[in-house]
Amino acid sequence: AAIRTYLDAVPVETPKARKRRPTSGRLRPDVRLMELFADWQAVMQPSLQSAHEYEGAARDFIDFIGDIPVEEVVNNDLLDYRDEAAHLPASMPRADRGLSFTERLDRHRHSDTPRISPATLKKRVGAIQALLSFAKGQKWISRNEGRDVPILGYSKTGAAARQTFQEEELQRLFASPLFTAPATWKQDRLVSDMTLYWLFLLGLTTGARLEEVGQAMIADVKADGTITYIDIDDYAAEASGDGKSIKTATSRRLVPVHAKLIQLGFRDYVDAVKKAGHTRLFPDLVPNGFGKRTKEASRIANRVIDRYVSTDAR
């Protein structure tokens, strides 16, 4: 009874009516694709390489169908774009990369060079699909026409298929002159043989990604008692802000350096690089336009594998 008396005494405000808003208030019927790309980039904060790929796909799509409002894009536009993009070559001269989408098609449509792979075609079309999906999620367009654009020959498992190195293949690789004849090492090219030597060995014994190892600072090589390890992280360690990156948050980890690499002189290598005044573990690896340091090293490493192991693209 006391509780009822208290509640009766508490004044109750009159409920406020919800303000009515137009249901289509978020629609942006005039937004163009490049404007949508800029909004997507601002929200999603993609890597430099992903942003470059999405922007390139968007510009190609505009060149193909015109700079129409995104709201006017229909499913057939993406299907037609897919069919045309399938005629692009797998690789083209650097000079041709500055051409428009239709100009590149006109130049290479009837050439006998291999065409882009289903995985590459999926990435091109997928960029447009992702932008449309983003716009629909923001309720900026009334429908998502990017769905149901199949790519013949593409599958998630097929795109990621890799041929695992067999034991005898690894034996051939590490019996090559790069590992058995250091006197033949070349130091006068973009990526020295000494750098390749340690990148291969660290990759073999740690399982770390090439970029994770290649971007390491000398300060990332640490010791705990008799254990030497590499602290893999994405923290900028230089005043210039020239930092590092990792693929996922769980990629931050401590990677022990195998005792065999210590016997082969890894600590001596680290000390020599530090004494020379460098701050990076592999000072000859420089970032490309997307901030990746091991692009050239990967290219040269693949040539070594082609020569001594297999030319199988997997």
Side-chain angles (χ1 to χ4, degrees):
I3 293 175
R4 188 180 305 110
T5 301
Y6 170 76
L7 292 176
D8 291 340
V10 174
V12 179
E13 295 183 4
T14 303
K16 295 181 179 179
R18 176 182 174 87
K19 293 182 179 180
R20 302 191 65 81
R21 300 175 183 174
T23 56
S24 60
R26 291 187 60 84
L27 289 177
R28 297 170 58 184
D30 295 326
V31 67
R32 261 54 174 186
L33 193 58
M34 291 312 300
E35 184 182 358
L36 174 59
F37 163 76
D39 291 332
W40 170 84
Q41 186 178 21
V43 172
M44 303 303 292
Q45 296 290 303
S47 67
L48 289 175
Q49 183 165 347
S50 292
H52 175 77
E53 291 170 351
Y54 273 56
E55 182 178 8
R59 293 191 184 282
D60 284 354
F61 191 67
I62 290 171
D63 185 67
F64 178 64
I65 69 166
D67 192 15
I68 64 175
V70 177
E71 178 71 24
E72 297 180 12
V73 174
V74 297
N75 186 256
N76 278 349
D77 292 330
L78 276 85
L79 291 170
D80 292 341
Y81 171 70
R82 174 204 64 185
D83 294 344
E84 288 297 292
H87 294 293
L88 290 171
S91 62
M92 66 181 70
R94 185 179 299 273
D96 290 357
R97 297 173 191 174
L99 299 175
S100 69
F101 177 71
T102 51
E103 288 172 337
R104 297 198 306 273
L105 279 175
D106 290 343
R107 179 164 296 189
H108 295 281
R109 183 189 300 274
H110 301 295
S111 67
D112 56 359
T113 57
R115 303 298 155 180
I116 62 174
S117 67
T120 302
L121 185 58
K122 173 64 176 177
K123 185 180 294 187
R124 281 179 158 274
V125 176
I128 307 302
Q129 291 176 302
L131 292 175
L132 294 177
S133 178
F134 174 76
K136 183 62 174 66
Q138 297 292 328
K139 301 295 190 280
W140 294 341
I141 56 177
S142 60
R143 64 196 185 284
N144 182 3
E145 292 287 323
R147 298 175 179 173
D148 301 323
V149 184
I151 307 296
L152 185 64
Y154 172 80
S155 69
K156 289 185 178 181
T157 55
R162 300 288 184 183
Q163 177 66 46
T164 303
F165 280 111
Q166 302 301 304
E167 184 174 350
E168 63 274 11
E169 292 173 333
L170 289 174
Q171 289 173 347
R172 291 201 301 272
L173 173 62
F174 289 97
S176 69
L178 179 63
F179 303 97
T180 60
T184 66
W185 281 356
K186 296 180 177 63
Q187 305 291 345
D188 58 347
R189 56 188 184 186
L190 292 177
V191 178
S192 69
D193 283 349
M194 180 181 293
T195 291
L196 286 174
Y197 173 86
W198 289 116
L199 286 176
F200 267 118
L201 288 173
L202 286 167
L204 173 73
T205 56
T206 67
R209 298 180 180 92
L210 188 65
E211 184 68 17
E212 291 177 333
V213 175
Q215 69 184 357
M217 311 294 294
I218 290 178
D220 294 329
V221 181
K222 305 175 182 179
D224 184 357
T226 60
I227 303 299
T228 297
Y229 64 93
I230 300 176
D231 186 358
I232 292 180
D233 58 51
D234 58 346
Y235 304 113
E238 295 180 343
S240 65
D242 184 12
K244 299 173 288 183
S245 63
I246 52 176
K247 191 164 187 179
T248 65
T250 56
S251 296
R252 296 189 189 96
R253 62 201 188 281
L254 307 181
V255 178
V257 178
H258 197 284
K260 184 64 177 177
L261 271 63
I262 302 300
Q263 295 176 17
L264 291 171
F266 180 71
R267 288 290 334 185
D268 295 334
Y269 167 77
V270 174
D271 292 341
V273 174
K274 184 176 182 180
K275 187 176 180 179
H278 298 293
T279 57
R280 290 197 169 268
L281 185 57
F282 300 107
D284 54 344
L285 300 182
V286 296
N288 65 3
F290 304 118
K292 301 298 183 182
R293 291 183 172 270
T294 55
K295 182 69 173 180
E296 181 66 15
S298 177
R299 187 179 67 84
I300 298 174
N302 281 330
R303 289 212 307 256
V304 174
I305 293 170
D306 287 345
R307 182 173 182 180
Y308 295 103
V309 180
S310 172
T311 57
D312 191 325
R314 295 171 297 172

